[in-house]
Amino acid sequence: SSAASDVYKRQQQTGTIVQVEFNPNASNQEVSDLLRSLDLQIIDGPAASGLYRLRIGASVTTPDETLDRLRQAEGVVRFAEVE
């Protein structure tokens, strides 16, 4: 495998994980747009509790910034916390 793909795989395995519960009234489009705008990838979920596990992308400066933006999206996100 190439060095670039090795770095990519490592980023995928080591990115910070956040747990998020979406507002049940949020549309799929709203959720999708939010995930794209924050460079988040769903890696698991929803769990029985309704939580999704999301990986923060490499383009994000800090997990705290991502959490702040998730929590500001009140109509879309009900709960967000770093795992």
Side-chain angles (χ1 to χ4, degrees):
S1 68
S2 72
S5 70
D6 288 346
V7 167
Y8 179 72
K9 284 180 198 159
R10 213 169 24 255
Q11 282 177 338
Q12 282 207 312
Q13 291 163 0
T14 61
T16 301
I17 306 298
V18 291
Q19 293 189 353
V20 173
E21 180 183 357
F22 296 109
N23 184 326
N25 297 323
S27 71
N28 287 342
Q29 187 64 51
E30 288 173 312
V31 170
S32 178
D33 290 348
L34 180 66
L35 295 179
R36 194 175 311 108
S37 72
L38 296 180
D39 193 16
L40 293 167
Q41 176 185 12
I42 295 174
I43 56 169
D44 194 23
S49 62
L51 291 177
Y52 287 82
R53 295 177 71 228
L54 310 177
R55 179 175 287 112
I56 297 176
S59 67
V60 175
T61 51
T62 69
D64 286 343
E65 178 186 330
T66 299
L67 275 181
D68 287 345
R69 295 205 31 216
L70 282 168
R71 290 171 177 157
Q72 289 166 8
E74 292 174 11
V76 181
V77 174
R78 184 182 268 181
F79 169 86
E81 202 60 60
V82 171
E83 188 171 271

